[in-house]
Amino acid sequence: MKLQRKNRLRALSLGAVAVTGALTLSACGSDDTGGTSGAGNGTATANSNIDCGEAKGQLLADGSSAQKNAIDAWVKQYQGACRDVVINYKGSGSGAGITAFTQGQVAFAGSDSALKPEEVSASKKVCTGGQGIDLPMVGGPIAVGYNVPGVDNLVLDAKTLALIFDSKITNWNDKAIAALNPDAKLPDLKIQAFHRSDESGTTDNFTKYLIAAAPDDWKYEGGKAWQAKGGQSAQGSSGVAQGVKETEGAISYMELSYAKDGITTVDVKTGAAEPVKATVENATKAISEAQVVGTGKDLALKLNYTPTAEGAYPITLVTYEIVCDKGNKAETLPATKSFLTYIASEDGQALLSGAGYAPMPEEIIAKVRTTISELS
């Protein structure tokens, strides 16, 4: 019996090499997490350093839809190695994720905005002897996707974007858009500006950009909830992306990984000589200027929304994993630490570019790894 078991494990291990070697990363946001590779609990796959440790059981998480495509890719790899763990990440939005976390419903939450003071206070009720902290894990550009027939290249600046999303510019052949695009054949077509209906860290970061780069034209205070009047709304990043895809004249903001299947993205005019495309590499140039402003083990970042360097894309976000620094539930702590350790590792971060996201700068992710190792 023992010999048969050893042969079976050896066959599984060899199968892991063949299957994982053939895997290619897709940014389609699939919920298929049924990994077919990897050995049993407590071991690592042949092509990674995933350490399952004592991880087992179900790990519930919720939050940012911006990072869901990244989470899906990570979960597929992780569960291929750690077969005794099932991770369920809903991606209901940053606001919903933080609420679920502060109510003790999830082991960790994803958010595109750092915890507010009142949210930190609320977290102390579920983090026995500790509090919720922000761990920056995923970066990337917030792309501005549009659907304007006959217009394959479009340049907009912060002022024009602010006026469009505040319903002050309502037609695609407006003179302000034409001035930025002298060679484009702009149609006489009504602009359909989509925004998020749910509380969203993507909304928070997009409006932070408008506040910083167009303060005279965007008079709202910002936050996770959309404040400007007019326009159309949709649930989640996938919802606004679908709205753009299906609606002529539409425009919206979304993570780059959602700007696919025919959605064209705006080049943003900044203080640099040339307009900047929404790419992972260009977002990384801007994120590299971020500063850690959190205190203690909290690693909240302050982003620069008005970069002037050539190729630095100004509309970026960083998605945090929010977890208790102390007082994590004993039954979920091993799996939480194991999974977060993997996604912060070199292997985990290496998956991000292929999924349309930007890895964290090394000096930041090194601090994240240290903090995860000290979770209790």
Side-chain angles (χ1 to χ4, degrees):
M1 183 67 69
K2 290 184 177 180
L3 180 60
Q4 289 179 339
R5 185 172 183 271
K6 286 182 178 179
N7 288 337
R8 180 174 176 273
L9 290 174
R10 183 173 180 272
L12 285 171
S13 178
L14 291 174
V17 176
V19 176
T20 57
L23 285 173
T24 55
L25 180 63
S26 169
C28 61
S30 170
D31 285 325
D32 176 17
T33 57
T36 57
S37 64
N41 191 50
T43 62
T45 56
N47 69 337
S48 73
N49 295 313
I50 299 176
D51 183 3
C52 306
E54 300 300 319
K56 61 182 178 180
Q58 187 175 42
L59 196 63
L60 298 179
D62 196 3
S64 164
S65 64
Q67 71 169 6
K68 191 173 188 305
N69 288 340
I71 291 285
D72 286 347
W74 280 328
V75 166
K76 187 169 186 176
Q77 293 295 312
Y78 180 82
Q79 290 190 161
C82 304
R83 304 295 288 272
D84 291 343
V85 183
V86 176
I87 300 174
N88 183 353
Y89 181 86
K90 288 185 178 180
S92 302
S94 297
I98 291 175
T99 297
F101 178 75
T102 56
Q103 292 179 351
Q105 298 171 357
V106 294
F108 70 91
S111 176
D112 311 334
S113 300
L115 290 168
K116 296 178 180 179
E118 61 270 25
E119 293 168 339
V120 172
S121 297
S123 73
K124 294 179 180 180
K125 297 177 182 179
V126 296
C127 301
T128 306
Q131 66 179 51
I133 56 173
D134 302 287
L135 301 177
M137 201 72 75
V138 182
I142 300 175
V144 180
Y146 69 96
N147 180 350
V148 182
V151 180
D152 297 325
N153 296 287
L154 186 69
V155 175
L156 297 175
D157 58 13
K159 177 183 177 68
T160 309
L161 283 167
L163 294 174
I164 287 173
F165 281 93
D166 198 22
S167 302
K168 301 292 177 58
I169 292 178
T170 58
N171 200 289
W172 280 109
N173 64 0
D174 188 276
K175 61 182 181 181
I177 300 176
L180 292 166
N181 300 274
D183 298 326
K185 294 182 179 179
L186 298 168
D188 181 6
L189 178 65
K190 180 178 174 60
I191 295 174
Q192 306 282 354
F194 280 81
H195 59 266
R196 291 280 291 273
S197 60
D198 53 320
E199 286 201 356
S200 161
T202 312
T203 294
D204 191 12
N205 283 276
F206 179 66
T207 54
K208 281 179 180 176
Y209 159 73
L210 295 178
I211 291 168
D216 294 335
D217 300 288
W218 192 260
K219 298 297 186 179
Y220 305 96
E221 63 183 22
K224 295 186 184 72
W226 184 259
Q227 296 170 336
K229 305 300 181 183
Q232 300 192 49
S233 64
Q235 173 82 20
S237 298
S238 58
V240 294
Q242 192 69 16
V244 170
K245 187 176 178 181
E246 296 177 348
T247 310
E248 284 195 359
I251 185 170
S252 190
Y253 54 93
M254 66 200 74
E255 296 70 43
L256 183 61
S257 65
Y258 289 89
K260 58 188 184 298
D261 297 335
I263 296 178
T264 311
T265 60
V266 168
D267 294 349
V268 179
K269 183 174 176 55
T270 67
E274 297 294 330
V276 186
K277 293 186 178 298
T279 68
V280 169
E281 295 76 17
N282 291 345
T284 299
K285 291 179 182 178
I287 293 172
S288 65
E289 299 180 20
Q291 298 177 326
V292 176
V293 295
T295 57
K297 293 183 179 180
D298 187 88
L299 298 175
L301 301 177
K302 180 180 180 181
L303 299 175
N304 178 13
Y305 295 101
T306 57
T308 58
E310 294 298 324
Y313 185 76
I315 319 176
T316 58
L317 62 76
V318 167
T319 290
Y320 302 93
E321 310 312 329
I322 294 171
V323 67
C324 296
D325 58 352
K326 297 179 182 179
N328 289 279
K329 294 179 180 179
E331 61 269 27
T332 57
L333 178 60
T336 299
K337 289 185 71 171
S338 173
F339 181 65
L340 294 181
T341 296
Y342 162 60
I343 68 178
S345 70
E346 289 186 11
D347 287 349
Q349 291 287 299
L351 292 183
L352 291 176
S353 295
Y357 298 93
M360 286 293 97
E362 181 58 34
E363 61 273 18
I364 294 174
I365 202 66
K367 295 178 181 178
V368 171
R369 292 168 186 153
T370 298
T371 302
I372 292 171
S373 70
E374 297 172 348
L375 298 178
S376 63

